[in-house]
Amino acid sequence: MTTEHAEDRPRVVLGVSGGIAAYKACEVLRRLTESGHQVRVVPTEAALNFVGAATFEALSGQPVRTGVFTDVHEVQHVRLGQEADLVVVAPATADLLARAAHGQADDLLTSTLLTARCPVLMVPAMHTEMWEHPATRHNVALLRSRGVVVAEPDSGRLTGADTGKGRLPDPAEIVDLARLLLAEPKALPRDLEGRRVVISAGGTREPLDPVRYLGNRSSGRQGYALARVAAHRGAEVTLVAAHTADLAAPAGVRVIKVGTAEELRSVMLAEADGADAVVMAAAVADFRPVSHVEHKIKKSDRDPDPLALTRNPDILAELVEARGAGKLAASLIVGFAAETGDATTSVLDHGRAKLARKGCDLLVVNAVGDGRAFEVEDNAGWLLGGDGTEEPIPFGAKSRLASTLWDAVNRQWHRQ
């Protein structure tokens, strides 16, 4: 790669502090470099007890330094922060959060944090007791008040036999948040705190026999992106997940697994009551087999007809109807429409007609087919409002679409 091309790549400083989760920083680094980012790793001395400098240098192609007295003539303790497009610290230990919150600059990483004028993403990892300690909570609040994005830690297995909140989120999630901040530096404000949202995701599967099912190509990525962004913006999130492409649960999100449209309907109606926003991003099968055969259907089977179908419930319309009848206390209801155009009607016109039929507050319209929307990392479309507003959503990462949607939801809340 030429120097000119290298300079065109987004410049990311990846800080690594001294916790056992430091080994996961290698996967974050690999994903960032393979997706076209120029990454400089700046570990603390303690981090090198877990992962050696040679590993970071081999994966990044950049030198690794920890102190401010190496390469002094290049003024690295100032230059790295000044020139970065994004600083990510993963993991960020309780000690690192404390030093950053109080402006210490006793090594290369904390000096870089003081000089950075780009977005800063800190991803905590520590034991639950440390995360919940008032000192750590104070430091996190202080950093957030200054515009630092402090991600929500995950829950799960920690060091030893301990389990709880404080686990480093999945590396794919960290990279997704990094990509979002590079595209939209202000995409993760803490503006959803105190809000409860319920989101459906994935594709339902309607069993025909023990082997076969009627389903669709939804991977669940868009619904998971909606949940991930909402959680990092401070919301209490419940994600009702049908079949997905083996996606890791977003950090800080309660996940309820379902299979069929009927199961999804039952859970959504129960969970949506009292929510501030309900988002139906799942791809619900319109039809299901009339009967489920208990044995594998053979080619010779003729009775009953194994492909006789009946309609599934329209969950989005039912949510809107229940709210209108006073049976469901939900503030805002958002739908998704995966559409294809035809000889007489465009994708957008199909979406407008669907919004009129469903009666929801907002509708995201996606064009599908030819590698769009389903089973891919990026998305585009239109955001239609029940008040007649229409906003194009440019092509980009699904987390960026999620941020655009939560911006619109927030505006709707403030109008109420």
Side-chain angles (χ1 to χ4, degrees), residues 2 4-5 26 31 49 53 83 111 186 225 255 266 273 287 292 302 314 328 330 353 379-380 384 386 401 406 413 416:
T2 66
E4 180 181 1
H5 287 163
C26 297
R31 286 175 176 268
N49 290 316
E83 296 176 354
S111 297
K186 299 185 182 299
V255 179
S266 177
D273 195 24
F287 301 92
H292 174 250
R302 291 293 182 266
D314 188 329
L328 178 70
N379 209 348
L384 310 184
L401 186 152
W406 291 122
W413 281 331
Q416 294 179 342

Side-chain angles (χ1 to χ4, degrees), residues 21 23 32 57 60 76 91 116-117 136 139-140 159 175 185 232 238 243-244 248 255 274 314 337 339-340 359 398:
Y23 77 93
L32 284 170
E57 289 181 343
S60 68
Q76 291 291 334
R117 295 299 179 266
T136 303
N139 292 332
V140 169
T159 306
V175 173
H232 289 295
T238 297
H243 174 71
T244 61
V255 179
D314 188 329
E339 299 287 351
T340 59
K398 290 183 174 179

Side-chain angles (χ1 to χ4, degrees), residues 82-139:
Q82 287 178 333
E83 296 176 354
D85 297 306
L86 175 69
V87 176
V88 180
V89 182
T93 60
D95 175 72
L96 193 283
L97 290 172
R99 290 195 288 141
H102 295 281
Q104 287 187 234
D106 51 2
D107 61 10
L108 188 56
L109 178 54
T110 50
S111 297
T112 298
L113 289 169
L114 277 184
T115 58
R117 295 299 179 266
C118 59
V120 175
L121 169 63
M122 305 188 80
V123 191
M126 63 196 74
H127 269 70
T128 306
E129 293 83 358
M130 300 175 76
W131 171 250
E132 294 176 347
H133 194 281
T136 303
R137 305 310 299 158
H138 174 75
N139 292 332

Side-chain angles (χ1 to χ4, degrees), residues 193-210:
E193 289 186 317
R195 299 289 190 176
R196 187 173 77 86
V197 301
V198 179
I199 303 162
S200 68
T204 62
R205 289 183 170 184
E206 312 300 327
L208 180 61
D209 64 18

Side-chain angles (χ1 to χ4, degrees), residues 17 68 161 219 241 308 337 388:
S17 59
V68 298
S219 66

